[in-house]
Amino acid sequence: MSEVSYLSAASDLSSVGTPTLWAVTIIGVLLLLVLDFLVTRRPHEVSMREAIGWSAFYIALPLAFGAWIWSRFGSQQGVEYLTGYLVEKSLSVDNLFVFMLLLAAFAVPAVLAQRVLLYGIAGALVLRAVFIALGAAALQTLDFAFLLFAIILIATAVKLLRDAMSGHQQEVDINNMRAVKLLRRFMPVVDDYHGTRMTVRQGAKRALTPFALVVVAVLATDIVFAVDSVPAVYGITEDPYLVFATNAFALLGLRALYFVLHAALSRLVHLSYGLAIILAFIGLKLGLHWAHGIWDSVPEIPTLASLGVIIGVLVVVTVTSLRATRGGDLPEDRKVVAERH
């Protein structure tokens, strides 16, 4: 049985992911996570040289993997993978800014920042895997799954646009976060950081450290990100393996990318507008795909055209953001992050 037809023989979803390829990929992702944990086992402030080196590695690796997908399975799968990776990377950049706000709100010492990010990335990978499995199950069992994904993406796009226009698109109130409030209800919290320790002994009781709170806060935001991210990439490809690969590669490089982009991120003031357009566009693509399955006359948007639209939107919002902040005029929320770094 060929690799391409393996899953399609068992389900309605066609995938290039054989059991061997899935196993190799998952093992590879776990090894990269272990490597990252070994690199950060001794907390230290990340230099720009170190961050650029790791970022180059985590950009070259998924691109090389995409070239292998293209040569092994054909241009269609290659374009779907590269487009999905670009969408996930774009969404992850916005996620990075929220992480920056959380680190600033919790006053995380610079030497501990990369370990907090790594916990967040590991949690995000687990959550994405769960959501990808649920998404695949929905596509197999629900006739209206594509329409449901389209509604989720368009609703998210409307929220992003509304928040961006109101100037409150990136706010973090740690005192009102449910996960943080729940932890504080069951355990006391000390004021000072104790390295990467989650708990310390306070008298006869155990108490949480601020490090534990910020890790939980980052993991809580991962849930929100997964709700947007997984339907977005399913709008590019229906292949669960490619969906997982694009998510994994986009997330693995976030730790290093954070330290490369921490200054530039504060200047991307129009990124939320661009992401709103991209999510709405993919939502439209999904809606048309669902309708095409019922009425053949309804057109579909080719993946290659989607790639062009996504690249065009990202280029435009990057240029307009840099022009808008050329004189150092930043919104208040972004000034907080810029000043902290």
Side-chain angles (χ1 to χ4, degrees):
M1 185 177 295
S2 69
E3 288 187 337
V4 175
S5 63
Y6 177 82
L7 282 185
S8 60
S11 69
D12 295 329
L13 292 181
S14 178
S15 175
V16 301
T18 64
T20 300
L21 188 55
W22 270 104
V24 170
T25 304
I26 292 172
I27 291 172
V29 169
L30 292 176
L31 288 176
L32 288 171
L33 272 179
V34 170
L35 176 63
D36 271 354
F37 272 103
L38 290 175
V39 169
T40 62
R41 71 187 185 280
R42 294 182 180 176
H44 64 281
E45 192 166 350
V46 180
S47 67
M48 183 58 69
R49 181 178 180 180
E50 178 185 352
I52 290 175
W54 280 108
S55 292
F57 170 75
Y58 276 118
I59 290 175
L61 183 62
L63 291 180
F65 184 78
W68 179 79
I69 289 288
W70 191 302
S71 64
R72 178 67 180 84
F73 300 108
S75 60
Q76 178 66 27
Q77 283 75 18
V79 171
E80 287 180 0
Y81 167 82
L82 291 173
T83 306
Y85 173 72
L86 183 59
V87 169
E88 290 304 307
K89 205 64 178 177
S90 304
L91 291 171
S92 69
V93 170
D94 195 47
N95 299 354
L96 274 184
F97 187 76
V98 176
F99 289 161
M100 290 173 68
L101 290 175
L102 284 170
L103 295 182
F106 280 97
V108 177
V111 295
L112 300 179
Q114 61 176 338
R115 181 50 69 97
V116 172
L117 292 170
L118 195 51
Y119 277 118
I121 291 166
L125 280 169
V126 174
L127 287 169
R128 300 292 172 87
V130 172
F131 275 76
I132 288 167
L134 291 175
L139 291 177
Q140 289 175 282
T141 58
L142 300 177
D143 294 336
F144 56 88
F146 283 113
L147 180 61
L148 178 63
F149 287 176
I151 293 172
I152 291 173
L153 292 180
I154 292 173
T156 303
V158 170
K159 182 182 184 303
L160 271 176
L161 185 61
R162 183 184 301 158
D163 290 344
M165 294 177 67
S166 66
H168 299 95
Q169 69 268 32
Q170 304 285 10
E171 290 187 347
V172 171
D173 186 353
I174 59 177
N175 293 319
N176 287 326
M177 294 188 72
R178 292 180 180 177
V180 173
K181 290 169 69 175
L182 185 63
L183 281 178
R184 284 176 169 164
R185 181 178 300 175
F186 288 99
M187 289 186 71
V189 180
V190 298
D191 295 328
D192 299 324
Y193 283 87
H194 293 262
T196 58
R197 296 177 63 182
M198 298 281 191
T199 64
V200 292
R201 185 166 293 281
Q202 191 179 48
K205 296 182 179 180
R206 278 278 172 184
L208 294 171
T209 65
F211 184 83
L213 292 186
V214 68
V215 167
V216 170
V218 168
L219 292 176
T221 60
D222 283 338
I223 298 175
V224 179
F225 296 152
V227 172
D228 304 337
S229 176
V230 173
V233 75
Y234 266 122
I236 302 299
T237 176
E238 299 174 34
D239 187 331
Y241 174 78
L242 293 181
V243 173
F244 175 78
T246 55
N247 271 270
F249 279 125
L251 288 170
L252 283 171
L254 284 189
R255 177 184 63 83
L257 190 64
Y258 172 89
F259 297 99
V260 174
L261 295 182
H262 70 265
L265 278 172
S266 61
R267 296 189 60 188
L268 296 179
V269 293
H270 296 159
L271 180 61
S272 291
Y273 293 98
L275 292 178
I277 294 171
I278 289 172
L279 291 178
F281 173 78
I282 298 175
L284 175 63
K285 183 177 186 298
L286 278 170
L288 291 175
H289 180 71
W290 170 79
H292 181 77
I294 301 175
W295 304 286
D296 291 339
S297 59
V298 176
E300 291 192 273
I301 301 176
T303 303
L304 193 59
S306 301
L307 178 60
V309 169
I310 292 165
I311 292 175
V313 170
L314 291 175
V315 169
V316 169
V317 297
T318 300
V319 172
T320 58
S321 293
L322 295 178
R323 287 177 63 88
T325 58
R326 186 164 47 188
D329 186 18
L330 299 176
E332 289 301 320
D333 59 342
R334 297 186 180 250
K335 283 182 182 178
V336 171
V337 178
E339 289 168 0
R340 173 154 179 82
H341 293 275

